[in-house]
PDB file of all heavy atoms in Angstrom:
ATOM      1  N   LEU A 284      97.540  87.573  87.874  1.00  0.00           N
ATOM      2  CA  LEU A 284      96.874  88.851  87.686  1.00  0.00           C
ATOM      3  C   LEU A 284      95.364  88.672  87.677  1.00  0.00           C
ATOM      4  O   LEU A 284      94.838  87.785  87.010  1.00  0.00           O
ATOM      5  CB  LEU A 284      97.326  89.494  86.373  1.00  0.00           C
ATOM      6  CG  LEU A 284      96.598  90.784  85.974  1.00  0.00           C
ATOM      7  CD1 LEU A 284      96.990  91.925  86.902  1.00  0.00           C
ATOM      8  CD2 LEU A 284      96.902  91.148  84.526  1.00  0.00           C
ATOM      9  N   VAL A 285      94.680  89.537  88.390  1.00  0.00           N
ATOM     10  CA  VAL A 285      93.224  89.577  88.379  1.00  0.00           C
ATOM     11  C   VAL A 285      92.742  90.734  87.505  1.00  0.00           C
ATOM     12  O   VAL A 285      91.936  90.548  86.595  1.00  0.00           O
ATOM     13  CB  VAL A 285      92.652  89.711  89.798  1.00  0.00           C
ATOM     14  CG1 VAL A 285      91.127  89.832  89.760  1.00  0.00           C
ATOM     15  CG2 VAL A 285      93.080  88.530  90.654  1.00  0.00           C
ATOM     16  N   ALA A 286      93.230  91.924  87.791  1.00  0.00           N
ATOM     17  CA  ALA A 286      92.849  93.106  87.032  1.00  0.00           C
ATOM     18  C   ALA A 286      93.863  94.201  87.281  1.00  0.00           C
ATOM     19  O   ALA A 286      94.507  94.244  88.329  1.00  0.00           O
ATOM     20  CB  ALA A 286      91.446  93.589  87.415  1.00  0.00           C
ATOM     21  N   ALA A 287      94.003  95.095  86.314  1.00  0.00           N
ATOM     22  CA  ALA A 287      94.917  96.217  86.444  1.00  0.00           C
ATOM     23  C   ALA A 287      94.329  97.430  85.748  1.00  0.00           C
ATOM     24  O   ALA A 287      93.500  97.301  84.841  1.00  0.00           O
ATOM     25  CB  ALA A 287      96.290  95.874  85.857  1.00  0.00           C
ATOM     26  N   ILE A 288      94.788  98.596  86.166  1.00  0.00           N
ATOM     27  CA  ILE A 288      94.309  99.846  85.585  1.00  0.00           C
ATOM     28  C   ILE A 288      95.445 100.849  85.562  1.00  0.00           C
ATOM     29  O   ILE A 288      96.201 100.988  86.523  1.00  0.00           O
ATOM     30  CB  ILE A 288      93.081 100.383  86.363  1.00  0.00           C
ATOM     31  CG1 ILE A 288      92.512 101.630  85.687  1.00  0.00           C
ATOM     32  CG2 ILE A 288      93.436 100.644  87.820  1.00  0.00           C
ATOM     33  CD1 ILE A 288      91.153 102.035  86.253  1.00  0.00           C
ATOM     34  N   SER A 293      92.890 102.930  81.470  1.00  0.00           N
ATOM     35  CA  SER A 293      92.817 101.704  80.681  1.00  0.00           C
ATOM     36  C   SER A 293      92.850 100.502  81.611  1.00  0.00           C
ATOM     37  O   SER A 293      93.623 100.469  82.570  1.00  0.00           O
ATOM     38  CB  SER A 293      93.971 101.629  79.688  1.00  0.00           C
ATOM     39  OG  SER A 293      93.907 102.692  78.754  1.00  0.00           O
ATOM     40  N   THR A 294      92.033  99.501  81.315  1.00  0.00           N
ATOM     41  CA  THR A 294      91.907  98.345  82.193  1.00  0.00           C
ATOM     42  C   THR A 294      92.283  97.058  81.484  1.00  0.00           C
ATOM     43  O   THR A 294      92.223  96.944  80.258  1.00  0.00           O
ATOM     44  CB  THR A 294      90.481  98.217  82.737  1.00  0.00           C
ATOM     45  OG1 THR A 294      89.562  98.105  81.641  1.00  0.00           O
ATOM     46  CG2 THR A 294      90.113  99.437  83.564  1.00  0.00           C
ATOM     47  N   ASN A 295      92.652  96.082  82.285  1.00  0.00           N
ATOM     48  CA  ASN A 295      92.974  94.754  81.802  1.00  0.00           C
ATOM     49  C   ASN A 295      92.456  93.747  82.826  1.00  0.00           C
ATOM     50  O   ASN A 295      92.727  93.889  84.018  1.00  0.00           O
ATOM     51  CB  ASN A 295      94.481  94.590  81.611  1.00  0.00           C
ATOM     52  CG  ASN A 295      94.862  93.238  81.051  1.00  0.00           C
ATOM     53  OD1 ASN A 295      94.173  92.700  80.200  1.00  0.00           O
ATOM     54  ND2 ASN A 295      95.981  92.688  81.522  1.00  0.00           N
ATOM     55  N   TYR A 296      91.721  92.744  82.357  1.00  0.00           N
ATOM     56  CA  TYR A 296      91.131  91.748  83.231  1.00  0.00           C
ATOM     57  C   TYR A 296      91.555  90.351  82.833  1.00  0.00           C
ATOM     58  O   TYR A 296      91.676  90.038  81.644  1.00  0.00           O
ATOM     59  CB  TYR A 296      89.606  91.802  83.183  1.00  0.00           C
ATOM     60  CG  TYR A 296      88.986  93.060  83.729  1.00  0.00           C
ATOM     61  CD1 TYR A 296      88.664  94.118  82.890  1.00  0.00           C
ATOM     62  CD2 TYR A 296      88.698  93.178  85.086  1.00  0.00           C
ATOM     63  CE1 TYR A 296      88.083  95.267  83.386  1.00  0.00           C
ATOM     64  CE2 TYR A 296      88.113  94.328  85.588  1.00  0.00           C
ATOM     65  CZ  TYR A 296      87.805  95.369  84.735  1.00  0.00           C
ATOM     66  OH  TYR A 296      87.225  96.512  85.230  1.00  0.00           O
ATOM     67  N   ALA A 297      91.743  89.508  83.828  1.00  0.00           N
ATOM     68  CA  ALA A 297      91.912  88.094  83.565  1.00  0.00           C
ATOM     69  C   ALA A 297      90.600  87.520  83.058  1.00  0.00           C
ATOM     70  O   ALA A 297      89.515  87.971  83.435  1.00  0.00           O
ATOM     71  CB  ALA A 297      92.341  87.364  84.833  1.00  0.00           C
ATOM     72  N   LYS A 301      86.205  88.326  83.979  1.00  0.00           N
ATOM     73  CA  LYS A 301      85.507  89.236  83.080  1.00  0.00           C
ATOM     74  C   LYS A 301      83.996  89.106  83.243  1.00  0.00           C
ATOM     75  O   LYS A 301      83.449  88.020  83.284  1.00  0.00           O
ATOM     76  CB  LYS A 301      85.905  88.955  81.630  1.00  0.00           C
ATOM     77  CG  LYS A 301      87.308  89.408  81.281  1.00  0.00           C
ATOM     78  CD  LYS A 301      87.633  89.148  79.812  1.00  0.00           C
ATOM     79  CE  LYS A 301      89.024  89.644  79.462  1.00  0.00           C
ATOM     80  NZ  LYS A 301      89.376  89.353  78.051  1.00  0.00           N
ATOM     81  N   ILE A 306      87.440  96.963  88.076  1.00  0.00           N
ATOM     82  CA  ILE A 306      88.498  97.708  88.730  1.00  0.00           C
ATOM     83  C   ILE A 306      88.313  99.194  88.446  1.00  0.00           C
ATOM     84  O   ILE A 306      87.896  99.581  87.350  1.00  0.00           O
ATOM     85  CB  ILE A 306      89.890  97.224  88.268  1.00  0.00           C
ATOM     86  CG1 ILE A 306      90.994  97.838  89.138  1.00  0.00           C
ATOM     87  CG2 ILE A 306      90.130  97.516  86.794  1.00  0.00           C
ATOM     88  CD1 ILE A 306      92.363  97.194  88.925  1.00  0.00           C
TER      89      ILE A 306
END
Side-chain angles (χ1 to χ4, degrees):
L284 174 70
V285 177
I288 185 169
S293 297
T294 58
N295 182 38
Y296 294 94
K301 287 182 178 178
I306 190 168

